[in-house]
């Protein structure tokens, strides 16, 4: 049976993963309006990844005999106006999620739950990849600057991103 404090921390994080899914869905809509299909695809993959992250924790909680309590998901707000600003928000958001996963690992450590720590190792590694992939897009966008032709070419590159269902744990 999972410790109550850890169960609550998992539930909080499940909510944040679903929020991430919702935020990236809002960003997908933003790019649909711009008719940038590669960016739309990039966010589509992001949405599926976040859904998988949330489900991985939800199923884990169930496996450990815990209760999953689904709370309301906040309304997603896109803060920036430009494409770069949208990706700066994504990076800020992923850094925040990393800090919350680390907090979750701190709680698992505090209650000496080695099995949960093992699962969370996967999420910690995943956050390194998440931040790296956003940084990658941001660096390219900074190089592109105001060059519309280069942006359209990059949009084609992003169309190639595919979702590979993660094996969590
Ligand atoms: Fe679930 O990694 Fe992004 O938020």
């Amino acid at each position: 049976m999972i410790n109550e404090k850890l169960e609550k921390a998992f539930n909080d994080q499940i909510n944040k993963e679903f929020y991430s899914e919702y935020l990236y869905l809002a960003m997908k809509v933003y790019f649909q309006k711009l008719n940038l299909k590669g960016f739309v695809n990039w966010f589509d993959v992001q949405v599926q990844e976040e859904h998988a992250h949330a489900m991985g924790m939800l199923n884990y909680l169930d496996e450990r005999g815990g209760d999953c309590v689904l709370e309301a998901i906040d309304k997603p707000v896109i803060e920036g106006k430009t494409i770069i600003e949208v990706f700066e928000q994504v990076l800020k958001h992923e850094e925040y999620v990393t800090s919350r996963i680390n907090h979750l690992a701190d709680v698992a450590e505090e209650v000496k739950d080695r099995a949960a720590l093992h699962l969370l190792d996967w999420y910690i590694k995943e956050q390194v990849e998440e931040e790296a992939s956003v940084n990658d897009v941001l660096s390219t966008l900074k190089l592109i600057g105001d060059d519309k032709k280069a942006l359209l070419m990059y949009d084609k590159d992003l169309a190639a991103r595919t979702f590979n269902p993660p094996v969590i744990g």
Side-chain angles (χ1 to χ4, degrees):
M1 192 72 176
I2 198 158
N3 168 285
E4 228 174 86
K5 184 173 178 185
L6 185 57
E7 178 187 71
K8 160 109 185 46
F10 262 110
N11 273 312
D12 285 349
Q13 190 56 34
I14 288 168
N15 183 272
K16 287 184 171 48
E17 298 294 339
F18 279 125
Y19 174 77
S20 300
E21 178 180 359
Y22 216 31
L23 176 67
Y24 296 148
L25 192 54
M27 289 176 173
K28 171 184 158 153
V29 170
Y30 167 99
F31 284 102
Q32 277 174 329
K33 290 266 174 252
L34 296 177
N35 202 26
L36 288 169
K37 295 191 169 63
F39 283 89
V40 169
N41 176 62
W42 195 91
F43 278 99
D44 219 8
V45 172
Q46 207 64 17
V47 164
Q48 293 175 79
E49 285 195 354
E50 297 304 346
H51 187 76
H53 295 167
M55 293 307 288
M57 285 189 187
L58 186 148
N59 290 333
Y60 181 75
L61 208 49
D62 180 59
E63 206 181 329
R64 295 288 308 276
D67 283 332
C68 181
V69 183
L70 294 175
E71 299 289 353
I73 302 167
D74 287 343
K75 180 180 174 169
V77 177
I78 300 179
E79 290 158 6
K81 288 214 167 20
T82 65
I83 294 178
I84 286 207
E85 282 168 354
V86 169
F87 275 89
E88 279 168 347
Q89 184 183 351
V90 174
L91 182 60
K92 205 170 84 188
H93 180 69
E94 285 305 328
E95 287 170 347
Y96 169 68
V97 171
T98 299
S99 75
R100 296 315 298 167
I101 299 271
N102 287 339
H103 167 75
L104 188 48
D106 287 345
V107 177
E109 219 158 57
E110 188 191 318
V111 302
K112 297 188 175 28
D113 192 322
R114 290 181 195 284
L117 277 169
H118 179 74
L119 174 90
L120 290 169
D121 265 348
W122 184 89
Y123 281 90
I124 289 166
K125 279 188 221 131
E126 175 71 1
Q127 281 311 118
V128 173
E129 280 177 32
E130 290 272 90
E131 287 186 29
S133 114
V134 183
N135 265 316
D136 200 51
V137 177
L138 259 177
S139 312
T140 308
L141 286 174
K142 282 175 188 160
L143 278 177
I144 289 172
D146 290 331
D147 185 342
K148 289 223 163 55
K149 210 166 150 192
L151 182 69
L152 287 176
M153 277 169 67
Y154 187 48
D155 185 57
K156 285 205 168 41
D157 286 357
L158 294 184
R161 187 184 189 201
T162 52
F163 173 64
N164 303 309
V167 180
I168 298 176

